[in-house]
Amino acid sequence: NAGVTQTPKFQVLKTGQSMTLQCAQDMNHNSMYWYRQDPGMGLRLIYYSASEGTTDKGEVPNGYNVSRLNKREFSLRLESAAPSQTSVYFCASSEALGGGGYTFGSGTRLTVV
Amino acid sequence: EDQVTQSPEALRLQEGESSSLNCSYTVSGLRGLFWYRQDPGKGPEFLFTLYSAGEEKEKERLKATLTKKESFLHITAPKPEDSATYLCAVQAEQAGTALIFGKGTTLSVSS
């Protein structure tokens, strides 16, 4: 089925380790996003890419980097994981920046110990 | 600062007991207001987009309405399968802005 695919679904990291969360969409959407969701905090925007070749910081970008590899793929990298980055990470896409309904992936549950 | 506040945080209903969820917002010009449904362990699923005050959208037992300061998600005769967290999000008029989400209302419907 068409949609947004995130890998991995679960991950446990030790403090200081690095990892990349992968996201791919097959709907030919221009814009892609990375959010984190924490209990009591709601969805908070980490980074977004309005179109291929562009990326911008969101509300909580510290400790993260992103790459818009091509129109389909948008990855999120944690260079040196910290316990505060324990969260559920969602990737989403839309035809245009903020426009219409986002399509979300199923999430990556990350625990940093 | 653009802000979205949802109330109540949690709502318990009996099957068939209609109610409403509230989303109040403060943005520098509203381009659109969005409602999503999120089931446990899954990503949010898009429900509705509203663009201007007075607009209404319906889907099965759900109806979303919009005023200049808030939106309501009305749930008529809910069923247990309507149990989920409902998220509200807004896009401000300023060009280049992504959606800002509220913290959500968790709805539980018991039979």
Side-chain angles (χ1 to χ4, degrees), chain B residues 55-71:
Chain B
E55 189 175 358
E56 299 183 351
K57 293 276 180 71
E58 286 190 66
K59 181 179 180 180
E60 297 181 355
R61 294 176 292 281
L62 301 177
K63 183 169 79 172
T65 62
L66 181 64
T67 72
K68 289 187 177 181
K69 293 186 177 181
E70 57 191 349
S71 176

Side-chain angles (χ1 to χ4, degrees), chain B:
Chain B
E1 180 184 348
D2 299 334
Q3 196 167 335
V4 179
T5 303
Q6 291 187 246
S7 62
E9 289 186 14
L11 181 63
R12 291 184 178 274
L13 299 174
Q14 291 290 320
E15 185 172 4
E17 180 186 3
S18 302
S19 188
S20 297
L21 313 182
N22 177 264
C23 170
S24 62
Y25 60 90
T26 306
V27 292
S28 51
L30 180 71
R31 289 186 71 180
L33 185 140
F34 305 81
W35 283 97
Y36 290 82
R37 169 189 171 127
Q38 185 174 24
D39 292 303
K42 296 189 177 181
E45 178 185 350
F46 171 70
L47 292 173
F48 304 110
T49 307
L50 301 167
Y51 292 106
S52 57
E55 189 175 358
E56 299 183 351
K57 293 276 180 71
E58 286 190 66
K59 181 179 180 180
E60 297 181 355
R61 294 176 292 281
L62 301 177
K63 183 169 79 172
T65 62
L66 181 64
T67 72
K68 289 187 177 181
K69 293 186 177 181
E70 57 191 349
S71 176
F72 291 94
L73 184 65
H74 307 277
I75 303 175
T76 302
K79 297 182 177 181
E81 53 262 42
D82 294 322
S83 297
T85 296
Y86 291 86
L87 304 173
C88 171
V90 299
Q91 186 190 20
E93 216 166 49
Q94 177 185 354
T97 57
L99 298 187
I100 302 166
F101 282 83
K103 295 180 181 179
T105 294
T106 299
L107 173 67
S108 299
V109 182
S110 55
S111 57

Side-chain angles (χ1 to χ4, degrees), chain A residues 33-36 43-46 88-90 102, chain B residues 99 101:
Chain A
Y33 316 83
W34 277 104
Y35 283 88
R36 61 178 289 175
L43 282 161
R44 292 183 291 167
L45 183 64
I46 305 171
V88 181
Y89 291 85
F90 288 101
Y102 287 5
Chain B
L99 298 187
F101 282 83

